[in-house]
Amino acid sequence: MEFNLKIWRQKNAKDKGHFETYHISGIEEDASFLEMLDILNEQLIREGCDPVAVDKGCKSSGPVSFDHDCREGICGACSLYIDGRAHGPDEHVTTCQLFMRHFKNGATITVEPWRSAAFPVIKDLVVDRSAFDKILQAGGFISVRTGSAQDANNILISHDRAEESMDAAACVGCGACVATCKNGSAMLFVAARVSSLALLPQGRLEAQKRAKNMVAKMDELGFGNCTNTRACEMECPKGISVAHIARLNREFLKAKFSE
């Protein structure tokens, strides 16, 4: 298979950035999207277009920078906006789980970084998603003494609540919800973290301050408001439901009224 790749290139956060188009061929249909980008970078390196050479007349901006880690769909690092969709045209997958057979041979594929004021571009397709870490630090945890955890059978939790908590905990923090939302809202991410703990007795200790602190930090970091378009749910690679946003709102109101 062969493709024309229209990729966003940006030297650093202060650079204006632009699209560059590359032609690539000999791609297996069962190759993943990230493997295809690896092959492109090998091609650019063979052509001698490294970052230093750009200033010496090389027409390319060198190998494309992009994030990746596990390549198993569990870390969320491989976040790319492909042909106008977070993680590309397939459903409920991260970019590393997207395969080239989902594209037509000879197609032009547009690849961009996440577009959000809270996720500034570092270089090319790499964005700074540390805002999510700051939200988690504000309340996405429980306080327990290590080594003193009770036996699981001593804390009875219904099967339905345990399953719902696990569904919320499936969030990989990739940021697709933010990149997809027209308001750049992080409500689905925050809701998943709050909901996964609110459903369990272990999460009740900090319940009164968790929702307040995480929502306050989300607003402080410049994320937008939720207007219930459900775009986040549609593009979430783990299919996390917006029903968790309703639970977040209830937890937030309970915390406010308890002040």
Side-chain angles (χ1 to χ4, degrees):
M1 301 180 75
E2 59 180 323
F3 304 97
N4 292 309
L5 305 175
K6 188 178 179 182
I7 299 178
W8 182 257
R9 306 305 307 268
Q10 187 170 335
K11 291 182 181 179
N12 51 54
K14 296 181 179 180
D15 186 51
K16 187 176 181 179
H18 62 282
F19 281 103
E20 287 187 9
T21 302
Y22 308 95
H23 180 78
I24 189 168
S25 59
I27 304 298
E28 296 289 336
E29 64 175 14
D30 289 329
S32 73
F33 199 87
L34 295 190
E35 288 172 335
M36 181 273 297
L37 289 179
D38 288 337
I39 294 171
L40 171 66
N41 279 342
E42 290 173 0
Q43 175 180 308
L44 293 175
I45 292 171
R46 285 197 303 271
E47 292 171 355
C49 292
D50 56 54
V52 176
V54 174
D55 298 327
K56 298 180 180 180
C58 182
K59 294 181 180 180
S60 171
S61 299
V64 179
S65 296
F66 61 95
D67 268 331
H68 63 91
D69 191 3
C70 72
R71 299 203 180 199
E72 295 178 349
I74 58 176
C75 74
C78 58
S79 304
L80 298 179
Y81 211 68
I82 304 166
D83 281 347
R85 292 188 63 179
H87 296 299
D90 201 3
E91 302 291 334
H92 297 159
V93 298
T94 53
T95 302
C96 64
Q97 296 173 301
L98 178 66
F99 294 95
M100 300 313 296
R101 58 177 175 268
H102 290 286
F103 300 90
K104 291 183 179 180
N105 189 31
T108 296
I109 304 172
T110 302
V111 189
E112 304 172 76
W114 282 169
R115 300 293 190 181
S116 171
F119 295 156
V121 175
I122 297 175
K123 183 179 180 181
D124 293 342
L125 304 175
V126 181
V127 300
D128 181 358
R129 292 180 298 150
S130 61
F132 272 6
D133 296 327
K134 294 174 182 176
I135 292 174
L136 290 177
Q137 290 166 6
F141 55 86
I142 60 172
S143 297
V144 295
R145 295 179 61 184
T146 57
S148 62
Q150 290 179 301
D151 187 274
N153 291 331
N154 291 335
I155 306 176
L156 299 180
I157 304 170
S158 70
H159 177 268
D160 290 343
R161 289 183 73 84
E163 286 296 307
E164 193 173 359
S165 176
M166 289 299 292
D167 287 343
C171 171
V172 294
C174 67
C177 51
V178 177
T180 300
C181 178
K182 65 178 183 179
N183 305 318
S185 173
M187 279 291 281
L188 189 63
F189 168 76
V190 176
R193 299 305 187 184
V194 168
S195 189
S196 66
L197 296 175
L199 286 160
L200 303 177
Q202 293 93 333
R204 301 315 301 169
L205 183 62
E206 288 103 353
Q208 290 193 358
K209 60 183 179 181
R210 176 180 296 112
K212 286 193 303 181
N213 291 350
M214 293 181 76
V215 169
K217 180 60 69 173
M218 175 182 69
D219 292 340
E220 175 191 324
L221 293 169
F223 291 100
N225 296 318
C226 175
T227 51
N228 295 312
T229 63
R230 301 187 70 173
C232 54
E233 180 184 70
M234 294 296 293
E235 297 296 354
C236 174
K238 300 302 177 182
I240 294 175
S241 171
V242 294
H244 293 294
I245 295 179
R247 179 171 289 105
L248 167 61
N249 290 334
R250 291 194 296 271
E251 290 289 314
F252 183 80
L253 288 173
K254 284 192 292 185
K256 294 294 287 186
F257 284 128
S258 66
E259 291 179 343

